[in-house]
Amino acid sequence: MTMIEPERHSIVAVTNYAAGQAETFRKMLLFTVEHRGFALTAEMRAQIAECADPEKLEVWAQRAISAERLEDIFR
């Protein structure tokens, strides 16, 4: 019988949760930027796609709501 290692399972669960949060904020950010009529550069799209930090993506998504310029989002 194989035993489940709770510590390892917890790390996997936490990692998957963070990845899910990052994807949610990434989608929110892209939706908001598009809805506001901003045109992302290829570099900005890559920056968003490569970011795995849900907290940073959340900040960017919040800034996208009221940013006057696209550059203000990523400052």
Side-chain angles (χ1 to χ4, degrees):
M1 179 176 212
T2 304
M3 296 289 291
I4 296 174
E5 300 173 50
E7 295 82 15
R8 185 172 181 186
H9 181 72
S10 295
I11 292 169
V12 171
V14 168
T15 301
N16 287 341
Y17 180 76
Q21 276 191 315
E23 184 60 25
T24 298
F25 287 123
R26 189 176 294 110
K27 287 178 181 179
M28 174 80 87
L29 172 57
L30 292 171
F31 173 83
T32 304
V33 166
E34 182 178 312
H35 180 74
R36 299 223 30 234
F38 290 126
L40 291 169
T41 64
E43 183 179 285
M44 289 174 176
R45 284 192 180 279
Q47 184 178 6
I48 293 168
E50 294 169 5
C51 183
D53 181 354
E55 291 179 9
K56 182 181 280 189
L57 287 161
E58 180 181 15
V59 168
W60 290 346
Q62 290 172 347
R63 288 179 184 164
I65 293 168
S66 61
E68 292 184 25
R69 300 175 307 130
L70 192 55
E71 294 77 19
D72 294 339
I73 297 168
F74 303 100
R75 60 182 157 94

Short mmCIF file of all heavy atoms in Angstrom, two decimals, residues 17-70:
data_model
loop_
_atom_site.label_atom_id
_atom_site.label_comp_id
_atom_site.label_asym_id
_atom_site.label_seq_id
_atom_site.Cartn_x
_atom_site.Cartn_y
_atom_site.Cartn_z
N TYR A 17 -2.45 26.26 -6.45
CA TYR A 17 -3.31 27.38 -6.08
C TYR A 17 -2.70 28.70 -6.56
O TYR A 17 -3.38 29.53 -7.15
CB TYR A 17 -3.53 27.41 -4.57
CG TYR A 17 -4.41 28.54 -4.12
CD1 TYR A 17 -5.79 28.48 -4.30
CD2 TYR A 17 -3.87 29.68 -3.52
CE1 TYR A 17 -6.61 29.52 -3.89
CE2 TYR A 17 -4.68 30.72 -3.11
CZ TYR A 17 -6.04 30.64 -3.30
OH TYR A 17 -6.84 31.68 -2.90
N ALA A 18 -1.40 28.88 -6.31
CA ALA A 18 -0.72 30.11 -6.74
C ALA A 18 -0.75 30.23 -8.26
O ALA A 18 -0.96 31.32 -8.80
CB ALA A 18 0.72 30.13 -6.23
N ALA A 19 -0.53 29.13 -8.95
CA ALA A 19 -0.58 29.16 -10.41
C ALA A 19 -1.97 29.53 -10.91
O ALA A 19 -2.12 30.29 -11.87
CB ALA A 19 -0.16 27.80 -10.98
N GLY A 20 -2.99 29.02 -10.24
CA GLY A 20 -4.37 29.36 -10.61
C GLY A 20 -4.67 30.83 -10.36
O GLY A 20 -5.33 31.48 -11.17
N GLN A 21 -4.17 31.36 -9.25
CA GLN A 21 -4.35 32.78 -8.96
C GLN A 21 -3.65 33.63 -10.01
O GLN A 21 -4.21 34.62 -10.48
CB GLN A 21 -3.78 33.13 -7.59
CG GLN A 21 -4.70 32.88 -6.44
CD GLN A 21 -4.14 33.51 -5.18
OE1 GLN A 21 -2.95 33.39 -4.88
NE2 GLN A 21 -4.99 34.18 -4.45
N ALA A 22 -2.43 33.25 -10.35
CA ALA A 22 -1.67 34.01 -11.35
C ALA A 22 -2.43 34.03 -12.67
O ALA A 22 -2.55 35.08 -13.31
CB ALA A 22 -0.28 33.41 -11.53
N GLU A 23 -2.96 32.90 -13.07
CA GLU A 23 -3.70 32.83 -14.35
C GLU A 23 -4.96 33.70 -14.29
O GLU A 23 -5.29 34.38 -15.26
CB GLU A 23 -4.05 31.38 -14.67
CG GLU A 23 -4.72 31.21 -16.01
CD GLU A 23 -3.87 31.69 -17.19
OE1 GLU A 23 -2.63 31.72 -17.10
OE2 GLU A 23 -4.46 32.04 -18.23
N THR A 24 -5.64 33.70 -13.17
CA THR A 24 -6.84 34.52 -13.01
C THR A 24 -6.50 36.01 -13.13
O THR A 24 -7.17 36.74 -13.86
CB THR A 24 -7.51 34.24 -11.65
OG1 THR A 24 -7.90 32.87 -11.61
CG2 THR A 24 -8.71 35.14 -11.44
N PHE A 25 -5.46 36.45 -12.44
CA PHE A 25 -5.07 37.86 -12.51
C PHE A 25 -4.53 38.23 -13.89
O PHE A 25 -4.75 39.33 -14.38
CB PHE A 25 -4.07 38.22 -11.42
CG PHE A 25 -4.69 38.28 -10.05
CD1 PHE A 25 -4.20 37.50 -9.02
CD2 PHE A 25 -5.77 39.11 -9.78
CE1 PHE A 25 -4.77 37.54 -7.76
CE2 PHE A 25 -6.34 39.16 -8.53
CZ PHE A 25 -5.84 38.38 -7.51
N ARG A 26 -3.85 37.28 -14.53
CA ARG A 26 -3.34 37.52 -15.89
C ARG A 26 -4.51 37.77 -16.85
O ARG A 26 -4.50 38.72 -17.63
CB ARG A 26 -2.53 36.30 -16.35
CG ARG A 26 -1.78 36.49 -17.62
CD ARG A 26 -0.90 35.27 -17.96
NE ARG A 26 0.18 35.10 -16.99
CZ ARG A 26 0.26 34.12 -16.10
NH1 ARG A 26 -0.65 33.16 -16.07
NH2 ARG A 26 1.26 34.05 -15.25
N LYS A 27 -5.54 36.94 -16.75
CA LYS A 27 -6.73 37.11 -17.60
C LYS A 27 -7.44 38.43 -17.30
O LYS A 27 -7.87 39.12 -18.21
CB LYS A 27 -7.69 35.94 -17.42
CG LYS A 27 -7.20 34.66 -18.04
CD LYS A 27 -8.17 33.52 -17.79
CE LYS A 27 -7.67 32.24 -18.41
NZ LYS A 27 -8.58 31.11 -18.17
N MET A 28 -7.55 38.76 -16.02
CA MET A 28 -8.20 40.01 -15.62
C MET A 28 -7.43 41.20 -16.17
O MET A 28 -8.02 42.15 -16.69
CB MET A 28 -8.27 40.10 -14.09
CG MET A 28 -8.79 41.42 -13.58
SD MET A 28 -10.57 41.54 -13.66
CE MET A 28 -10.96 40.80 -12.11
N LEU A 29 -6.11 41.15 -16.07
CA LEU A 29 -5.26 42.23 -16.56
C LEU A 29 -5.43 42.40 -18.07
O LEU A 29 -5.66 43.51 -18.56
CB LEU A 29 -3.81 41.94 -16.21
CG LEU A 29 -2.74 42.86 -16.81
CD1 LEU A 29 -2.97 44.31 -16.44
CD2 LEU A 29 -1.36 42.39 -16.36
N LEU A 30 -5.34 41.31 -18.81
CA LEU A 30 -5.47 41.39 -20.26
C LEU A 30 -6.86 41.86 -20.67
O LEU A 30 -7.00 42.69 -21.59
CB LEU A 30 -5.16 40.02 -20.89
CG LEU A 30 -3.70 39.57 -20.78
CD1 LEU A 30 -3.56 38.13 -21.23
CD2 LEU A 30 -2.79 40.49 -21.56
N PHE A 31 -7.89 41.39 -19.99
CA PHE A 31 -9.25 41.83 -20.28
C PHE A 31 -9.40 43.33 -20.04
O PHE A 31 -9.95 44.06 -20.88
CB PHE A 31 -10.26 41.07 -19.41
CG PHE A 31 -11.66 41.58 -19.54
CD1 PHE A 31 -12.46 41.16 -20.59
CD2 PHE A 31 -12.18 42.49 -18.63
CE1 PHE A 31 -13.76 41.64 -20.73
CE2 PHE A 31 -13.47 42.97 -18.75
CZ PHE A 31 -14.26 42.55 -19.81
N THR A 32 -8.91 43.82 -18.91
CA THR A 32 -9.04 45.23 -18.56
C THR A 32 -8.28 46.12 -19.54
O THR A 32 -8.81 47.14 -20.00
CB THR A 32 -8.56 45.49 -17.13
OG1 THR A 32 -9.28 44.63 -16.23
CG2 THR A 32 -8.76 46.93 -16.72
N VAL A 33 -7.05 45.72 -19.86
CA VAL A 33 -6.24 46.50 -20.81
C VAL A 33 -6.95 46.59 -22.16
O VAL A 33 -7.06 47.66 -22.75
CB VAL A 33 -4.83 45.87 -20.94
CG1 VAL A 33 -4.09 46.43 -22.13
CG2 VAL A 33 -4.04 46.09 -19.67
N GLU A 34 -7.45 45.44 -22.63
CA GLU A 34 -8.15 45.42 -23.92
C GLU A 34 -9.43 46.26 -23.87
O GLU A 34 -9.72 47.03 -24.78
CB GLU A 34 -8.49 43.98 -24.30
CG GLU A 34 -9.16 43.86 -25.65
CD GLU A 34 -9.45 42.42 -26.00
OE1 GLU A 34 -8.54 41.58 -25.86
OE2 GLU A 34 -10.60 42.13 -26.40
N HIS A 35 -10.19 46.11 -22.80
CA HIS A 35 -11.45 46.84 -22.65
C HIS A 35 -11.22 48.36 -22.62
O HIS A 35 -12.03 49.12 -23.13
CB HIS A 35 -12.16 46.39 -21.38
CG HIS A 35 -13.47 47.07 -21.14
ND1 HIS A 35 -14.60 46.79 -21.88
CD2 HIS A 35 -13.82 48.04 -20.27
CE1 HIS A 35 -15.59 47.55 -21.46
NE2 HIS A 35 -15.15 48.32 -20.49
N ARG A 36 -10.10 48.76 -22.05
CA ARG A 36 -9.80 50.19 -21.96
C ARG A 36 -9.22 50.73 -23.25
O ARG A 36 -8.96 51.93 -23.38
CB ARG A 36 -8.82 50.45 -20.80
CG ARG A 36 -9.44 50.01 -19.47
CD ARG A 36 -9.27 50.91 -18.30
NE ARG A 36 -9.16 52.30 -18.56
CZ ARG A 36 -8.16 53.07 -18.13
NH1 ARG A 36 -7.18 52.54 -17.43
NH2 ARG A 36 -8.14 54.35 -18.37
N GLY A 37 -8.96 49.87 -24.23
CA GLY A 37 -8.49 50.32 -25.53
C GLY A 37 -6.98 50.48 -25.65
O GLY A 37 -6.50 51.07 -26.62
N PHE A 38 -6.23 49.96 -24.68
CA PHE A 38 -4.78 50.03 -24.75
C PHE A 38 -4.26 48.93 -25.68
O PHE A 38 -4.84 47.85 -25.74
CB PHE A 38 -4.13 49.84 -23.37
CG PHE A 38 -4.35 50.98 -22.41
CD1 PHE A 38 -4.89 50.75 -21.16
CD2 PHE A 38 -3.98 52.27 -22.74
CE1 PHE A 38 -5.07 51.79 -20.25
CE2 PHE A 38 -4.14 53.33 -21.84
CZ PHE A 38 -4.69 53.07 -20.60
N ALA A 39 -3.16 49.20 -26.36
CA ALA A 39 -2.53 48.20 -27.22
C ALA A 39 -1.20 47.80 -26.58
O ALA A 39 -0.26 48.60 -26.52
CB ALA A 39 -2.30 48.77 -28.61
N LEU A 40 -1.13 46.57 -26.10
CA LEU A 40 0.09 46.07 -25.48
C LEU A 40 1.17 45.82 -26.52
O LEU A 40 0.89 45.34 -27.62
CB LEU A 40 -0.18 44.76 -24.75
CG LEU A 40 -1.05 44.82 -23.50
CD1 LEU A 40 -1.44 43.42 -23.06
CD2 LEU A 40 -0.31 45.53 -22.38
N THR A 41 2.40 46.14 -26.16
CA THR A 41 3.53 45.81 -27.03
C THR A 41 3.83 44.31 -26.85
O THR A 41 3.38 43.68 -25.87
CB THR A 41 4.79 46.61 -26.64
OG1 THR A 41 5.19 46.22 -25.32
CG2 THR A 41 4.54 48.11 -26.70
N ALA A 42 4.61 43.75 -27.76
CA ALA A 42 5.01 42.35 -27.64
C ALA A 42 5.80 42.13 -26.35
O ALA A 42 5.65 41.10 -25.69
CB ALA A 42 5.83 41.94 -28.86
N GLU A 43 6.61 43.12 -25.99
CA GLU A 43 7.40 43.03 -24.76
C GLU A 43 6.49 42.99 -23.52
O GLU A 43 6.72 42.22 -22.60
CB GLU A 43 8.35 44.22 -24.68
CG GLU A 43 9.26 44.20 -23.48
CD GLU A 43 10.20 45.40 -23.45
OE1 GLU A 43 11.16 45.40 -24.25
OE2 GLU A 43 9.95 46.32 -22.65
N MET A 44 5.45 43.81 -23.51
CA MET A 44 4.52 43.83 -22.38
C MET A 44 3.74 42.52 -22.30
O MET A 44 3.53 41.99 -21.21
CB MET A 44 3.55 45.01 -22.51
CG MET A 44 4.17 46.34 -22.27
SD MET A 44 2.98 47.65 -22.63
CE MET A 44 3.90 49.09 -22.17
N ARG A 45 3.32 41.99 -23.45
CA ARG A 45 2.61 40.71 -23.46
C ARG A 45 3.50 39.60 -22.91
O ARG A 45 3.05 38.75 -22.15
CB ARG A 45 2.15 40.35 -24.87
CG ARG A 45 0.95 41.13 -25.31
CD ARG A 45 0.34 40.54 -26.57
NE ARG A 45 -0.82 41.32 -26.95
CZ ARG A 45 -2.03 41.18 -26.41
NH1 ARG A 45 -2.21 40.26 -25.49
NH2 ARG A 45 -3.03 41.93 -26.80
N ALA A 46 4.77 39.62 -23.31
CA ALA A 46 5.71 38.61 -22.81
C ALA A 46 5.91 38.76 -21.30
O ALA A 46 5.97 37.76 -20.58
CB ALA A 46 7.04 38.73 -23.54
N GLN A 47 6.00 39.99 -20.83
CA GLN A 47 6.17 40.27 -19.40
C GLN A 47 5.00 39.69 -18.61
O GLN A 47 5.18 39.08 -17.57
CB GLN A 47 6.30 41.76 -19.18
CG GLN A 47 6.59 42.18 -17.77
CD GLN A 47 6.76 43.69 -17.61
OE1 GLN A 47 6.56 44.46 -18.54
NE2 GLN A 47 7.14 44.11 -16.43
N ILE A 48 3.80 39.89 -19.12
CA ILE A 48 2.60 39.36 -18.46
C ILE A 48 2.59 37.84 -18.51
O ILE A 48 2.34 37.18 -17.51
CB ILE A 48 1.33 39.95 -19.12
CG1 ILE A 48 1.24 41.44 -18.85
CG2 ILE A 48 0.08 39.22 -18.60
CD1 ILE A 48 0.19 42.17 -19.69
N ALA A 49 2.88 37.28 -19.67
CA ALA A 49 2.84 35.83 -19.84
C ALA A 49 3.87 35.11 -18.98
O ALA A 49 3.61 34.01 -18.47
CB ALA A 49 3.05 35.47 -21.31
N GLU A 50 5.02 35.73 -18.79
CA GLU A 50 6.10 35.10 -18.04
C GLU A 50 5.99 35.29 -16.53
O GLU A 50 6.66 34.60 -15.77
CB GLU A 50 7.44 35.63 -18.53
CG GLU A 50 7.76 35.23 -19.95
CD GLU A 50 8.96 35.96 -20.54
OE1 GLU A 50 9.62 36.73 -19.80
OE2 GLU A 50 9.22 35.76 -21.73
N CYS A 51 5.16 36.22 -16.09
CA CYS A 51 5.05 36.51 -14.67
C CYS A 51 4.24 35.40 -13.97
O CYS A 51 3.12 35.10 -14.35
CB CYS A 51 4.37 37.86 -14.44
SG CYS A 51 4.28 38.31 -12.70
N ALA A 52 4.84 34.80 -12.95
CA ALA A 52 4.18 33.75 -12.19
C ALA A 52 3.82 34.22 -10.78
O ALA A 52 3.34 33.43 -9.97
CB ALA A 52 5.09 32.53 -12.10
N ASP A 53 4.02 35.50 -10.50
CA ASP A 53 3.76 36.06 -9.17
C ASP A 53 2.34 36.62 -9.12
O ASP A 53 2.07 37.69 -9.69
CB ASP A 53 4.78 37.16 -8.88
CG ASP A 53 4.62 37.79 -7.51
OD1 ASP A 53 3.63 37.46 -6.79
OD2 ASP A 53 5.47 38.61 -7.13
N PRO A 54 1.41 35.92 -8.44
CA PRO A 54 0.03 36.40 -8.41
C PRO A 54 -0.11 37.79 -7.78
O PRO A 54 -0.97 38.57 -8.20
CB PRO A 54 -0.72 35.36 -7.60
CG PRO A 54 0.27 34.42 -7.05
CD PRO A 54 1.59 34.69 -7.70
N GLU A 55 0.75 38.12 -6.82
CA GLU A 55 0.64 39.43 -6.17
C GLU A 55 1.02 40.55 -7.14
O GLU A 55 0.35 41.59 -7.18
CB GLU A 55 1.52 39.48 -4.93
CG GLU A 55 1.00 38.59 -3.81
CD GLU A 55 1.87 38.60 -2.56
OE1 GLU A 55 2.80 39.42 -2.48
OE2 GLU A 55 1.61 37.77 -1.68
N LYS A 56 2.05 40.34 -7.93
CA LYS A 56 2.46 41.35 -8.92
C LYS A 56 1.38 41.50 -9.99
O LYS A 56 1.02 42.61 -10.37
CB LYS A 56 3.78 40.97 -9.57
CG LYS A 56 4.28 41.99 -10.58
CD LYS A 56 5.59 41.57 -11.22
CE LYS A 56 6.72 41.88 -10.27
NZ LYS A 56 8.05 41.70 -10.89
N LEU A 57 0.85 40.37 -10.46
CA LEU A 57 -0.21 40.42 -11.48
C LEU A 57 -1.46 41.12 -10.94
O LEU A 57 -2.12 41.86 -11.67
CB LEU A 57 -0.54 39.01 -11.96
CG LEU A 57 0.53 38.38 -12.85
CD1 LEU A 57 0.36 36.87 -12.91
CD2 LEU A 57 0.50 38.99 -14.24
N GLU A 58 -1.76 40.90 -9.67
CA GLU A 58 -2.91 41.57 -9.05
C GLU A 58 -2.71 43.08 -9.03
O GLU A 58 -3.62 43.85 -9.35
CB GLU A 58 -3.15 41.04 -7.64
CG GLU A 58 -4.34 41.71 -6.96
CD GLU A 58 -4.57 41.20 -5.54
OE1 GLU A 58 -3.67 40.55 -4.96
OE2 GLU A 58 -5.66 41.46 -5.01
N VAL A 59 -1.50 43.51 -8.66
CA VAL A 59 -1.20 44.95 -8.63
C VAL A 59 -1.35 45.53 -10.03
O VAL A 59 -1.95 46.59 -10.21
CB VAL A 59 0.22 45.20 -8.07
CG1 VAL A 59 0.67 46.63 -8.30
CG2 VAL A 59 0.26 44.87 -6.59
N TRP A 60 -0.80 44.85 -11.03
CA TRP A 60 -0.92 45.34 -12.41
C TRP A 60 -2.38 45.41 -12.83
O TRP A 60 -2.80 46.37 -13.47
CB TRP A 60 -0.15 44.43 -13.36
CG TRP A 60 1.33 44.50 -13.25
CD1 TRP A 60 2.08 45.45 -12.60
CD2 TRP A 60 2.26 43.58 -13.81
NE1 TRP A 60 3.42 45.17 -12.73
CE2 TRP A 60 3.56 44.03 -13.47
CE3 TRP A 60 2.14 42.42 -14.57
CZ2 TRP A 60 4.71 43.35 -13.86
CZ3 TRP A 60 3.29 41.75 -14.96
CH2 TRP A 60 4.54 42.22 -14.61
N ALA A 61 -3.17 44.39 -12.47
CA ALA A 61 -4.59 44.38 -12.83
C ALA A 61 -5.33 45.55 -12.17
O ALA A 61 -6.18 46.19 -12.79
CB ALA A 61 -5.23 43.05 -12.44
N GLN A 62 -4.99 45.85 -10.93
CA GLN A 62 -5.61 46.97 -10.23
C GLN A 62 -5.22 48.29 -10.88
O GLN A 62 -6.07 49.17 -11.06
CB GLN A 62 -5.21 46.97 -8.76
CG GLN A 62 -5.83 45.85 -7.96
CD GLN A 62 -5.27 45.75 -6.55
OE1 GLN A 62 -4.27 46.36 -6.21
NE2 GLN A 62 -5.93 44.97 -5.72
N ARG A 63 -3.97 48.43 -11.24
CA ARG A 63 -3.51 49.66 -11.90
C ARG A 63 -4.18 49.84 -13.26
O ARG A 63 -4.44 50.97 -13.68
CB ARG A 63 -2.00 49.64 -12.07
CG ARG A 63 -1.23 49.81 -10.78
CD ARG A 63 0.24 49.75 -11.05
NE ARG A 63 1.03 49.82 -9.83
CZ ARG A 63 2.30 49.48 -9.75
NH1 ARG A 63 2.96 49.07 -10.82
NH2 ARG A 63 2.94 49.58 -8.60
N ALA A 64 -4.42 48.73 -13.95
CA ALA A 64 -5.02 48.80 -15.29
C ALA A 64 -6.41 49.43 -15.26
O ALA A 64 -6.85 50.02 -16.25
CB ALA A 64 -5.09 47.40 -15.91
N ILE A 65 -7.08 49.33 -14.14
CA ILE A 65 -8.43 49.87 -14.03
C ILE A 65 -8.45 51.39 -14.19
O ILE A 65 -9.34 51.93 -14.83
CB ILE A 65 -9.06 49.47 -12.67
CG1 ILE A 65 -9.27 47.95 -12.65
CG2 ILE A 65 -10.37 50.21 -12.41
CD1 ILE A 65 -9.63 47.39 -11.28
N SER A 66 -7.44 52.07 -13.64
CA SER A 66 -7.47 53.53 -13.65
C SER A 66 -6.26 54.19 -14.31
O SER A 66 -6.15 55.41 -14.29
CB SER A 66 -7.61 54.05 -12.22
OG SER A 66 -6.51 53.63 -11.45
N ALA A 67 -5.38 53.41 -14.90
CA ALA A 67 -4.16 53.98 -15.51
C ALA A 67 -4.52 54.93 -16.64
O ALA A 67 -5.41 54.67 -17.44
CB ALA A 67 -3.27 52.86 -16.04
N GLU A 68 -3.81 56.06 -16.67
CA GLU A 68 -4.01 57.02 -17.75
C GLU A 68 -3.19 56.62 -18.98
O GLU A 68 -3.58 56.92 -20.10
CB GLU A 68 -3.63 58.42 -17.30
CG GLU A 68 -4.59 58.96 -16.25
CD GLU A 68 -4.27 60.39 -15.86
OE1 GLU A 68 -3.66 61.11 -16.67
OE2 GLU A 68 -4.64 60.77 -14.74
N ARG A 69 -2.05 55.97 -18.72
CA ARG A 69 -1.18 55.51 -19.79
C ARG A 69 -0.84 54.04 -19.54
O ARG A 69 -0.79 53.60 -18.40
CB ARG A 69 0.13 56.31 -19.83
CG ARG A 69 -0.03 57.79 -20.06
CD ARG A 69 1.28 58.55 -19.96
NE ARG A 69 1.97 58.27 -18.71
CZ ARG A 69 3.26 57.92 -18.61
NH1 ARG A 69 4.01 57.83 -19.69
NH2 ARG A 69 3.82 57.68 -17.45
N LEU A 70 -0.60 53.32 -20.59
CA LEU A 70 -0.27 51.91 -20.48
C LEU A 70 0.98 51.70 -19.62
O LEU A 70 1.06 50.77 -18.82
CB LEU A 70 -0.05 51.33 -21.89
CG LEU A 70 0.03 49.84 -22.02
CD1 LEU A 70 -1.17 49.15 -21.43
CD2 LEU A 70 0.17 49.47 -23.49
#
